[in-house]
Amino acid sequence: MELIKGENLSKTYNLKISLTTSIKVKAVENVSISISEKEVFGLVGESGSGKSTLGRLMLFMEKPDSGKVIFKGVDLSRAKKDEVKDARRRMQIVFQNPDLSLDPRMKIYNTLKEALVCCKYKGDFVERIKSVLEEVGLSSETLNMFPHQLSGGMKQRVALARAILAEPDFIVLDEPTSALDVSVQAQILNLLIDLRKKLNLTYLFISHNLSVVSYVSDRVGVMYLGKLVELGNCDEVFNEPLHPYTKLLISSVPALYMTKKFFTQNHTALAENGEENPSGCRFFKRCPYAKELCRVKEPELDGDKHKVACHFA
Ligand code: SF4
């Protein structure tokens, strides 16, 4: 059963490039995704491809310029204030860097208490916080500590606990393991998988790391310059990629291991290419299969379960 759906979402920002000049940057353009209950939907793409913006649009943290978000059957752009407020409580986010998302001056107890105050929890705060801490693998001694006294992995567990305290149905995980050591990454990924089963959670898992996404996700979407270029079951997309960009990503990096450096390095070139060919396929300049049609006509995301935006896939 569908939990959340983004329909034709678009978002453009004005980017100031000098004192007098600004340019319009299309961060997300006409993107639609639908996520079922208890599903993990992975979103991959290089830095600046629009995946984090799409995550924020799905949470209604930012209003789209056009398109709509439907959460549990309610269109949030037309919903009453109370309905939006309730939906927001049911949707949470965990950011990449817990150092930036946790207040360094607040003890962990106070940070977590805030989450319960926000969702007007009526029960015993201490009991509830202790039980959630246990669920994320932390002891109650953590409650009297400040963030700087915790390791990176522990801080990310606190961030997860804060999200879970609101009893959400849907969590956007925006690069939740990117700032952590590799050994800790595996622990956090396994914890996320366990929590999903235990609490019946639904995730939108955003990452530049294909191996991480393939490990946790049921379905995956590949984003390129603000658009979805491929979407399908994880196994299909990674074992039989259809879009030349997805193929490039997979073949460029040994053992499906994508480093942040790889994506950052490629982004500048990719962005330029997209701007150079605004009327046709965004991947035109780099694509080994490009034909004249690709220069003049932008391909639509098409297909049944495994969708691709390419004229010649
Ligand atoms: Fe390459 Fe053309 Fe497909 Fe774009 S539409 S990915 S340029 S073959």
Side-chain angles (χ1 to χ4, degrees), residues 101-300:
S101 63
L102 299 177
D103 189 332
R105 296 160 304 179
M106 282 172 81
K107 283 190 175 174
I108 300 304
Y109 174 74
N110 291 330
T111 296
L112 297 177
K113 192 178 111 185
E114 271 194 342
L116 290 178
V117 172
C118 282
C119 64
K120 298 195 172 101
Y121 183 72
K122 297 275 190 298
D124 185 320
F125 278 22
V126 178
E127 282 307 308
R128 172 79 180 129
I129 289 173
K130 278 184 179 173
S131 86
V132 171
L133 270 190
E134 203 179 310
E135 263 170 340
V136 299
L138 291 173
S139 73
S140 52
E141 285 157 21
T142 320
L143 291 176
N144 282 323
M145 295 178 164
F146 287 95
H148 73 268
Q149 295 173 291
L150 306 178
S151 68
M154 289 167 88
K155 279 183 261 190
Q156 200 58 310
R157 285 172 195 265
V158 171
L160 258 172
R162 184 174 54 185
I164 288 168
L165 278 167
E167 296 183 63
D169 298 307
F170 176 60
I171 303 183
V172 172
L173 301 157
D174 192 354
E175 304 264 11
T177 57
S178 303
L180 306 175
D181 291 343
V182 175
S183 58
V184 183
Q185 282 185 21
Q187 293 170 14
I188 297 293
L189 288 176
N190 288 329
L191 174 65
L192 288 169
I193 292 169
D194 289 347
L195 288 173
R196 177 182 70 134
K197 283 188 202 146
K198 210 166 161 186
L199 305 175
N200 293 328
L201 295 168
T202 303
Y203 294 151
L204 174 61
F205 191 98
I206 298 170
S207 180
H208 64 275
N209 189 324
L210 281 192
S211 58
V212 166
V213 168
S214 68
Y215 184 62
V216 296
S217 307
D218 302 309
R219 282 190 306 141
V220 65
V222 182
M223 278 197 85
Y224 181 76
L225 294 180
K227 283 216 155 193
L228 268 183
V229 294
E230 187 157 358
L231 187 155
N233 286 334
C234 233
D235 289 346
E236 280 176 348
V237 172
F238 291 131
N239 294 327
E240 293 171 43
L242 297 176
H243 197 280
Y245 176 60
T246 316
K247 288 179 187 174
L248 175 79
L249 292 183
I250 292 171
S251 65
S252 302
V253 185
L256 276 183
Y257 189 79
M258 315 304 279
T259 65
K260 188 149 195 167
K261 197 173 164 204
F262 170 86
F263 277 96
T264 315
Q265 278 174 344
N266 279 278
H267 174 56
T268 315
L270 300 177
E272 283 166 4
N273 287 325
E275 283 163 12
E276 279 171 23
N277 191 36
S279 59
C281 175
R282 287 154 195 245
F283 197 55
F284 175 73
K285 293 278 179 181
R286 301 192 74 216
C287 182
Y289 314 105
K291 296 191 170 60
E292 180 57 19
L293 175 67
C294 312
R295 193 177 61 76
V296 293
K297 189 174 176 212
E298 183 159 29
E300 294 294 325

Side-chain angles (χ1 to χ4, degrees), residues 5-19:
K5 179 160 77 170
E7 258 182 35
N8 307 113
L9 295 173
S10 295
K11 184 77 186 175
T12 301
Y13 296 107
N14 275 327
L15 186 69
K16 219 165 180 166
I17 52 172
S18 73
L19 274 177

Side-chain angles (χ1 to χ4, degrees), residues 60 63 74-89 120:
F60 224 57
K63 285 197 175 171
V74 177
D75 179 350
L76 297 183
S77 51
R78 291 168 178 234
K80 293 176 191 150
K81 263 190 180 174
D82 284 355
E83 287 176 312
V84 174
K85 217 171 164 186
D86 185 53
R88 283 214 173 110
R89 185 178 68 75
K120 298 195 172 101

